[in-house]
Amino acid sequence: MVFPMLYRTVPKSGDRLSALGFGCMRLPSKGRSVDEERAIRQIRHAIDSGVNYFDTAPVYHFGKSEQVLAKALEGGYREKIRIATKLPHWEVFEREDMDRILNGQLEILRTDHIDYYLLHSLAGKSFRIMKDLGVLEFLDAAKTDGRIIHAGFSFHGILDDFKNIVDAYDWDFCQIQYNYLDEKIQAGTEGLKYAAAKGLAVMIMEPLRGGNLAGRTPGSVEKIWAESPVKRSPAEWGLRWVWDHPEVTVVLSGMNDEAHIDENIRVAGEALPGSLTPDEQALIGRVRDEYRRLMKVGCTGCGYCMPCPAGVDIPGVFSSYNAHALFPHDPAGKFQYIGRHGGLMGEKTAAGLCRQCGKCAKACPQHLPIPSLMKEVSREMEGMMDIAVPVMKGGLWCINRAKRVKRFFLG
């Protein structure tokens, strides 16, 4: 069955993008690698169904994501879609690295331009470092020579830093984490509206908290969903909540199951902004409140505790810890914690850095015992982190080194 697709407009260019974007971070697996045949089939099916925005990055599947996407876009599919990929700031040490990485991505993706190019996973400190290295001039040059069409950034940090980054450059778009549990986490609703008011297209990642709001749900949450006279899956409720915001341009879904892809495509063809009724909004609000009741730490993500003198991303750490507490059987929770806070994708901001100074506790409107909670988070989330991060970094270094050697000998 063919479902219609809704499209939303990029404010600064008029580009029409499918409301549903295909996130290539969680492609189907086969053993320890990507099931390429199945992934290619899924990607092409999504394109044939009207999806025209595909988001990838060098770090996804340890370099395989961009390669598989390139294979899927053979045979005329490249001309039908927009590619979004990212510059990993943690691999940039000088201005020349930016051009080297981008040119390598163009080669891997078998294209002469990237439609939507992002600075990957920025926060305040990483953006300042990249800015000092000349990244804004790099973006200007790459846009001028046609290697990239639209410039943007993805963000994991606090609201004030998000606003500062938005104001620092003439961005075309940004990408933020947003779902009905994260209205006040990271950029949040205020950041969404701020960026949209500045004319940026806003792409949404983690609309279902890495699938955690779509799969197995706590029994008390299931009872609330069951009260609705309109029967929808938890995934559909979560996606509709995000699409209900007119400021949202594209909602990215890390799809790797054929039935889920078709469900998401169907919902994307129906979910107009403002289409949820007041009763439906209230129902989602009750689900949100129940999830928050089940969380271990009552952090609202306000950011009054920041900046931490020791460099801990306090709201981010608590958000990851709460997600792990809600979904303890999902191994991705600890992996994402290591990636975002353990130093794998930038500066280390983990709970273990806490010096127990107590400054954060004095500033917390919720009166949380933050220093003691940091010890708890560190014990639960960081057991093997100091070993895992160097190993993972070494693996990424080997992959990138192999690519350089290949380019050297093969041209």
Side-chain angles (χ1 to χ4, degrees):
M1 184 175 180
V2 177
F3 299 104
M5 175 60 64
L6 293 175
Y7 295 84
R8 300 192 180 188
T9 303
V10 175
K12 291 186 178 181
S13 68
D15 201 10
R16 298 281 286 169
L17 300 179
S18 54
L20 176 66
F22 199 119
C24 299
M25 186 173 74
R26 298 182 179 93
L27 297 174
S29 60
K30 191 174 186 178
R32 296 186 177 181
S33 189
V34 176
D35 185 340
E36 292 193 15
E37 183 178 339
R38 187 180 176 199
I40 289 170
R41 192 166 58 245
Q42 290 178 350
I43 290 169
R44 291 179 175 175
H45 171 66
I47 296 171
D48 292 337
S49 301
V51 177
N52 71 357
Y53 189 88
F54 287 76
D55 175 89
T56 182
V59 72
Y60 295 169
H61 292 287
F62 292 96
K64 290 288 291 183
S65 178
E66 289 182 329
Q67 297 173 30
V68 172
L69 180 59
K71 292 179 182 179
L73 298 181
E74 293 175 351
Y77 279 96
R78 170 67 182 99
E79 290 71 29
K80 298 179 180 181
I81 66 106
R82 314 292 192 271
I83 294 175
T85 193
K86 307 173 183 74
L87 177 69
H89 68 79
W90 54 92
E91 292 185 17
V92 175
F93 302 97
E94 55 187 4
R95 170 67 175 78
E96 290 74 17
D97 290 333
M98 304 174 196
D99 289 296
R100 173 183 57 77
I101 293 170
L102 172 57
N103 292 337
Q105 290 172 292
L106 292 170
E107 180 182 337
I108 291 168
L109 288 162
R110 305 175 191 176
T111 186
D112 62 356
H113 70 278
I114 306 297
D115 302 283
Y116 288 81
Y117 198 60
L118 303 92
L119 308 186
H120 196 174
S121 193
L122 289 185
K125 182 178 179 181
S126 55
F127 179 66
R128 290 191 292 272
I129 293 172
M130 291 291 284
K131 189 177 178 183
D132 289 343
L133 290 173
V135 75
L136 301 184
E137 292 77 14
F138 158 75
L139 293 174
D140 284 339
K143 289 181 73 171
T144 298
D145 63 31
R147 287 179 294 164
I148 67 174
I149 308 302
H150 301 91
F153 66 94
S154 65
F155 182 79
H156 291 289
I158 63 174
L159 178 61
D160 286 346
D161 286 338
F162 177 77
K163 290 181 177 180
N164 289 336
I165 296 172
V166 167
D167 293 339
Y169 184 70
D170 185 20
W171 306 101
D172 299 298
F173 71 111
C174 64
Q175 184 169 305
I176 64 172
Q177 177 172 319
Y178 194 57
N179 53 69
Y180 63 74
L181 285 184
D182 291 335
E183 291 180 279
K184 296 182 180 180
I185 298 295
Q186 299 182 24
T189 301
E190 186 174 342
L192 168 69
K193 294 180 179 294
Y194 188 84
K198 297 280 184 174
L200 277 67
V202 184
M203 303 358 181
I204 302 301
M205 56 183 159
E206 306 293 359
L208 300 173
R209 276 273 185 108
N212 285 316
L213 299 180
R216 183 171 54 187
T217 55
S220 56
V221 171
E222 289 182 357
K223 289 180 180 179
I224 298 173
W225 289 137
E227 293 178 22
S228 172
V230 179
K231 301 307 174 186
R232 294 168 177 156
S233 69
E236 181 171 350
W237 281 113
L239 291 172
R240 282 181 177 272
W241 184 88
V242 180
W243 274 315
D244 209 52
H245 295 76
E247 299 87 357
V248 169
T249 307
V250 171
V251 175
L252 293 167
S253 178
M255 304 177 284
N256 56 25
D257 178 89
E258 287 76 8
H260 296 164
I261 293 171
D262 283 341
E263 178 187 21
N264 291 352
I265 289 170
R266 174 186 61 78
V267 178
E270 303 171 357
L272 290 164
S275 60
L276 288 177
T277 68
D279 286 345
E280 290 171 336
Q281 289 279 13
L283 185 80
I284 295 172
R286 289 175 57 205
V287 169
R288 177 195 307 119
D289 292 343
E290 179 60 16
Y291 269 121
R292 288 178 177 167
R293 186 187 69 80
L294 296 170
M295 290 176 177
K296 285 195 172 185
V297 181
C299 175
T300 65
C302 68
Y304 285 110
C305 56
M306 296 294 285
C308 168
V312 180
D313 175 6
I314 298 171
V317 161
F318 283 152
S319 176
S320 296
Y321 185 47
N322 278 328
H324 175 67
L326 289 173
F327 311 104
H329 302 295
D330 182 3
K334 285 192 176 181
F335 179 79
Q336 289 179 350
Y337 180 91
I338 291 172
R340 292 177 184 174
H341 305 296
L344 181 63
M345 298 170 61
E347 63 268 22
K348 188 175 181 180
T349 60
L353 296 174
C354 176
R355 300 174 189 160
Q356 301 292 302
C357 70
K359 180 181 177 182
C360 51
K362 295 176 183 177
C364 178
Q366 309 301 319
H367 307 293
L368 297 174
I370 296 175
S372 62
L373 288 169
M374 285 295 149
K375 290 182 179 180
E376 180 181 320
V377 174
S378 183
R379 281 194 303 269
E380 178 67 23
M381 305 294 285
E382 300 172 13
M384 298 293 289
M385 189 174 69
D386 290 340
I387 297 174
V389 169
V391 170
M392 292 179 188
K393 279 190 171 181
L396 290 172
W397 184 88
C398 289
I399 290 169
N400 290 326
R401 184 68 175 176
K403 290 177 183 177
R404 294 184 198 179
V405 171
K406 181 180 178 182
R407 282 198 296 270
F408 177 79
F409 285 106
L410 300 181

